[in-house]
Structure formats: structure tokens, C-alpha cells
Amino acid sequence: GGDTMFHKTRTGFLPEAGVAAVVFANMQGGLAEYYLDGIRNAVLEIFTGVEISTVEANWIKVQAQVDATAKLMEEAKVTPFSVPLRNGQSFTIDIKAGSALTRSQTEDMIQKLSINGLPTPHPVMGYVGTFR
């Protein structure tokens, strides 16, 4: 684990073999997880002496899962996601069902909301701690 929206981490430990692997990547999208899991598993297999033909066969399975998922994502319905802004305007992004916002969509939304976002309906009460 150790994922954020744009940074992914995979770890694997095989204490009986004295092997551990950590894979870091700057990737976004639903397919990143399949690749990272496959890379981690391949590294562990290679360093524990698994035959390269087995490693390659397992990678073919990873690629098949990626291809099948990519096809489903291409066929997924696109839904508009709207956020109300000031002056009766709104900010709308088209999102495929089951997908997260891309980095550029997220940055665009944050920029628009920081300039034209609606104020909170009423002040937040009950602050605790020291604020500067």
C-alpha cells in the first residue's frame, strides 16, 4: 500500500526466502494498480529463482487483466460532475463511471473553486487548538 491519487507504492516480503521488494511509481488511473502488482510480483519471482518462462507467463496474465479492464473503461458511461460556483455558475467535468479525476481535472477544479467557490453556508464553530 501507500497510495495517494498520483503516487503508488507496492511492497512484498518473502521472509523465508530473505527477499523483499518495494515498487514506487508516479502513475494515475485505474490500470496503475495492475501494473504495480505485476511488477512487484515479477521482482519477487525473479529474486527467488522462479523460471523466467513462469515470470513471463504471469506477466501475460497481468497484461490480459489490464487489457480487459481498459476495454471496460473505454465502454464506461461518461457522466457530468458539476460543482456550483458563485453567481449561479457551475464547473462541470465529464467523468467515466468508476474512474477518478485526472490530475489536470483535479488541479482545474481546485483553481476554479479557490477563485469562485461558494462560501460555507455558516461559519464553522468550535475551533480547537492554535491557528496562525
Side-chain angles (χ1 to χ4, degrees), residues 1 6-7 10 18 32 46 50-51 60 71 80 88 113 117 120 123 127 130 132:
F6 306 110
H7 301 95
R10 289 296 180 272
I46 290 166
V50 173
E51 292 289 325
I60 289 169
K71 185 173 188 279
L113 290 173
T120 56
Y127 290 109
T130 303
R132 297 178 189 172

Side-chain angles (χ1 to χ4, degrees), residues 57-122:
N58 289 336
W59 185 258
I60 289 169
K61 292 175 188 173
V62 169
Q63 190 61 55
Q65 183 68 48
V66 167
D67 293 344
T69 304
K71 185 173 188 279
L72 288 173
M73 290 172 72
E74 286 174 17
E75 297 168 355
K77 179 182 173 187
V78 175
T79 306
F81 172 73
S82 290
V83 177
L85 301 174
R86 293 182 186 156
N87 303 323
Q89 298 178 351
S90 64
F91 173 69
T92 302
I93 302 173
D94 290 332
I95 304 173
K96 283 198 172 221
S99 297
L101 296 175
T102 65
R103 184 178 193 152
S104 62
Q105 287 175 320
T106 302
E107 289 171 348
D108 194 25
M109 184 172 66
I110 290 169
Q111 192 262 344
K112 295 269 189 333
L113 290 173
S114 66
I115 295 169
N116 296 309
L118 293 173
T120 56
H122 50 79

